[in-house]
Amino acid sequence: MLVRIGSRGSRLALTQAEQAAAAVRRSGVEIAFVPITTAGDRDRSSPFGEIGARGVFVKEIEEALLAGRIDIAVHSAKDMTSTDTAGVTIGAFLERDDPRDALVGASAIREGMRVGTASVRRRAQLLALEPSLRIEPLRKRRERGLDAIMLAACGLDRLGLGGEIGARLDPEVMLPEAAQGALALQVRAGEEGLVARADHVETRRRVEPERRLVAAIGGGCLAPVAAHHDGKRLHALIAAEDGSWVERRSGDDPDALAAELIALAAARGATGTQSPQTRA
C-alpha cells in the first residue's frame, strides 16, 4: 500500500515529514512525499503576524488532503488553527519535542538588545521581561545586525542546529505557543486508522487542552495568547503586545481558563474583532 505524505517543501518541513514517515512505516506501508507550497511560503517578505500566522502554512495542504492528492498531511501543530477543518481530523500527534522558545546569538536577555522575532506572543513576553529591548520583525540575525533571534527550540533541534541555541527559556519565563513542539498528522475523517499507531497518547493529553483553550477564547480579543500543559496543569497567558501588562493563570479546565483570560483582557481594554489565534 502506497501512502502519500504531504508537507511544505522547506528543509525543516521535509525533516518533519520524514519523522512522520518513520512512524507510519511501522504499519508496513510504502511512503511517497508530496511537497506543497503554502501561502506562508510564498510571502516570506512579510512578518508572520502580518500574513495570518496560524493557518498560512496549512490551508493548501488541507486542500490537497480533501481533494485526495495526499493521504496524510504533516503540520507543526502550533501552525494550525485551533479547530479542525470540516472533513479532516488530527489522527495522531507524534511524541512532543522540546516546546520551549530558544534564544540564538546570545546566552541571556540583556538591556537594550536588538532581538528578531516574527511572533507577537514572543514580542509581548520579551518586552515584559525587559522593556528596553528593541524587537525587530525578522528571522535572520545578520540582516540588520541583531544581537539575537528567538525561534522554537524544536525546529533547531530537528535540523541538527541545537548547538546554535544560547538559551532555552523555560515556560516560567517564556510561555510557549499552544502545541509548540508537537507534530500533527492530519487525515480525512474516517481514516484515522491510517496513523493510529503513530499517536503519542501523552502528547495528545497535553496538546489538546492547549488548543482547546485558544479555540475557546476565539474572536473578540486582540491580545497575544500562550498555553502550555506541563503534564500536571494547564498554564495560560494573555498580554499586551507591547508587554505593558501580562496576566498568567493555571488550572485544569481550558474553558474556565479561557473565560478568565477573556475577562482579564476585557478589563484591560484589549478587545476587538481579530482572534488571538491568528496573531500569536
Side-chain angles (χ1 to χ4, degrees):
M1 177 181 178
L2 179 66
V3 173
R4 298 160 298 170
I5 292 182
S7 78
R8 297 168 56 207
S10 70
R11 180 185 167 198
L12 175 58
L14 293 175
T15 297
Q16 294 174 166
E18 183 52 53
Q19 284 184 250
V24 175
R25 282 193 187 103
R26 298 187 198 122
S27 300
V29 298
E30 293 183 47
I31 301 294
F33 293 103
V34 181
I36 297 170
T37 301
T38 68
D41 298 309
R42 287 191 293 272
D43 193 359
R44 300 300 292 181
S45 62
S46 298
F48 298 167
E50 296 178 8
I51 58 173
R54 292 189 184 183
V56 299
F57 296 124
V58 172
K59 181 182 177 183
E60 286 88 347
I61 302 175
E62 287 185 336
E63 289 173 348
L65 183 61
L66 285 167
R69 297 194 298 273
I70 60 173
D71 304 300
I72 300 171
V74 181
H75 307 286
S76 292
K78 72 179 182 65
D79 291 339
M80 304 178 74
T81 56
S82 298
T83 53
D84 286 334
T85 299
V88 298
T89 187
I90 297 176
F93 289 103
L94 300 191
E95 184 173 2
R96 191 177 207 167
D97 294 319
D98 191 343
R100 292 176 292 180
D101 290 302
L103 193 65
V104 177
S107 59
I109 300 294
R110 302 185 305 274
E111 276 186 46
M113 287 179 68
R114 299 179 68 188
V115 181
T117 178
S119 163
V120 294
R121 171 191 61 83
R122 292 177 183 137
R123 173 188 172 88
Q125 293 185 75
L126 282 168
L127 289 172
L129 285 170
E130 180 48 69
S132 69
L133 293 179
R134 297 170 62 186
I135 307 299
E136 299 278 354
L138 298 173
R139 280 182 167 251
K140 295 182 180 179
R141 179 160 50 98
R142 295 178 180 175
E143 284 188 5
R144 292 190 182 178
L146 298 176
D147 299 302
I149 59 174
M150 184 161 283
L151 302 167
C154 59
L156 293 164
D157 288 338
R158 289 167 186 159
L159 290 171
L161 299 175
E164 299 291 319
I165 296 174
R168 296 173 190 256
L169 303 185
D170 288 336
E172 292 79 9
V173 177
M174 177 75 60
L175 200 67
E177 178 135 3
Q180 187 159 293
L183 294 180
L185 307 191
Q186 197 178 42
V187 295
R188 288 179 287 273
E191 298 182 7
E192 294 86 347
L194 192 61
V195 295
R197 291 182 62 183
D199 192 42
H200 190 258
V201 175
E202 179 61 15
T203 295
R204 182 178 287 273
R205 185 181 76 84
R206 299 187 189 195
V207 167
E208 285 188 335
E210 297 170 11
R211 299 183 75 240
R212 182 173 166 183
L213 180 139
V214 175
I217 288 176
C221 178
L222 288 171
V225 173
H228 177 68
H229 199 298
D230 64 7
K232 296 180 180 179
R233 303 193 84 194
L234 178 62
H235 305 277
L237 173 151
I238 198 162
E241 189 172 332
D242 64 3
S244 58
W245 58 265
V246 175
E247 298 283 359
R248 284 176 175 257
R249 295 294 185 273
S250 300
D252 300 315
D253 184 341
D255 295 309
L257 278 178
E260 190 171 0
L261 292 177
I262 290 170
L264 290 166
R268 297 280 191 173
T271 57
T273 58
Q274 188 175 1
S275 167
Q277 64 200 49
T278 66
R279 294 172 53 85

